[in-house]
Amino acid sequence: MTVPFLDLAAGVTEIKDELSDALARVLAGGRYVLGPEVESFEQEFASYSEASHCIGVASGFDALHLLLRAFGIGPADEVIVPAYTAIPTWMAVALVGATPVGVDVDPGTWNIDPAAVEAAITRRTKAIIAVHLFGQPAAMTELAEIAEGRGVTLLEDAAQAHGARHNGKRAGGLAHAAAFSFYPTKNLGALGDGGAVTTDDDALAANIRRLRTYGWRERDVSEVKGVNSRLDELQAAVLRVRLRHLEQWTERRRELASRYRASLPVELERPDVQAEAEPVWHLFVVATDDRDAFRVSLARHGVGTLVHYFPLPHLTPAFRTDGWREGSFPDAERLAARAVSLPLYPQLTDQQCDDVLAAAHETLAR
């Protein structure tokens, strides 16, 4: 029995002919950066995300960075971020010169805790970044009320949440704007890096388009100090093909997640799913006290696992210099020390899922 944590090649093989046709179309077209494939993908993904605009950029990190730039966030400003997240959420804030202000998570959902957010707001707070961790939307109703009441901008880090819904509305249209990643491991992944911003704000969309290409609205005329962060035609063509399969793949993720939730040993802690949320299960993460021994045992059974995320951003050398220490966020740190990500991807077979379940039960029975 072998169950890899993730099999990217299987996802390519499944649609190889469609991908080959798309890549051949780009090669024959003679446009390789910001051409018709990017324009079409932007329209299609905006429609899918139920947003007015999609702006393709070079990565999910760039999407966050450019959003913060577009809102004029910089030195002397604070941005509230969850303690339990991947490092890009914090790093994008630091890159614009602002201060990431971490807050603890809800121990039930593992997403950012709205009460902790409200307590952390100061006169310097300019934005809140809500991360839809592992594909479950954050508590957007409460966060939107806090943001509106305190006069700060609410942004989505939707890197793991393509197609997720909150109260019936898609991620990407739940706040003023959202940042998506199309890194190959994501639910909607390219064959390289890529990202996008979605928004209903016409002026913001125009500003992101300008910032992504040297501050140009007109070629060679830099109106502002921009960057080079452009989605290329090959990746856009790949994403257009994969977007057509995304709903089917998401349903398969939900089937697998339901089997895990129903059949995993009760000793394995897992996040609560809120009634208003429709997760897309980018990752299926459980928590156990002896994480390392659990992983070793599953590996002996041929089951691959990963850890997301350890150390947490505030405990990396980059952010310890800002004064963060162990104990700053007890709930997030407790989860990060115990979390294990199990295999979950659309090409995972029922038998492989059963093998993971059997390995988990046998491990905990011992």
Side-chain angles (χ1 to χ4, degrees), residues 226-279:
V227 300
N228 177 7
S229 180
R230 298 174 288 196
L231 185 63
D232 67 66
E233 288 285 279
L234 287 169
Q235 301 304 341
V238 168
L239 290 168
R240 292 184 69 198
V241 171
R242 288 187 150 175
L243 183 59
R244 296 198 294 266
H245 295 269
L246 183 57
E247 283 297 285
Q248 172 192 341
W249 289 340
T250 297
E251 285 310 306
R252 178 58 179 165
R253 287 178 180 272
R254 287 174 173 151
E255 290 173 8
L256 292 166
S258 293
R259 295 182 68 172
Y260 278 155
R261 286 173 61 80
S263 302
L264 278 169
V266 294
E267 297 93 330
L268 292 174
E269 184 181 352
R270 61 209 77 170
D272 298 334
V273 176
Q274 299 303 289
E276 64 271 22
E278 297 177 42

Side-chain angles (χ1 to χ4, degrees), residues 82-87 90 103-107 109-111 133-134 269-271 285-292 295 306-316 320 325-341:
Y84 194 3
T85 185
I87 194 69
W90 285 56
V103 300
D104 216 337
V105 295
D106 181 322
T109 66
W110 304 6
N111 265 323
L133 192 69
F134 306 146
E269 184 181 352
R270 61 209 77 170
V285 183
V286 298
T288 183
D289 289 337
D290 199 344
R291 188 245 312 278
D292 292 343
R295 294 188 69 205
L306 283 180
V307 171
H308 299 88
Y309 300 95
F310 189 85
L312 291 176
H314 71 286
L315 296 179
T316 62
R320 280 182 179 270
R325 294 291 181 269
E326 286 85 355
S328 298
F329 309 110
D331 289 321
E333 291 171 31
R334 174 181 171 274
L335 288 168
R338 301 168 66 248
V340 183
S341 299

Side-chain angles (χ1 to χ4, degrees), residues 94-119:
L95 184 61
V96 298
T99 299
V101 175
V103 300
D104 216 337
V105 295
D106 181 322
T109 66
W110 304 6
N111 265 323
I112 192 169
D113 182 356
V117 169
E118 186 154 34

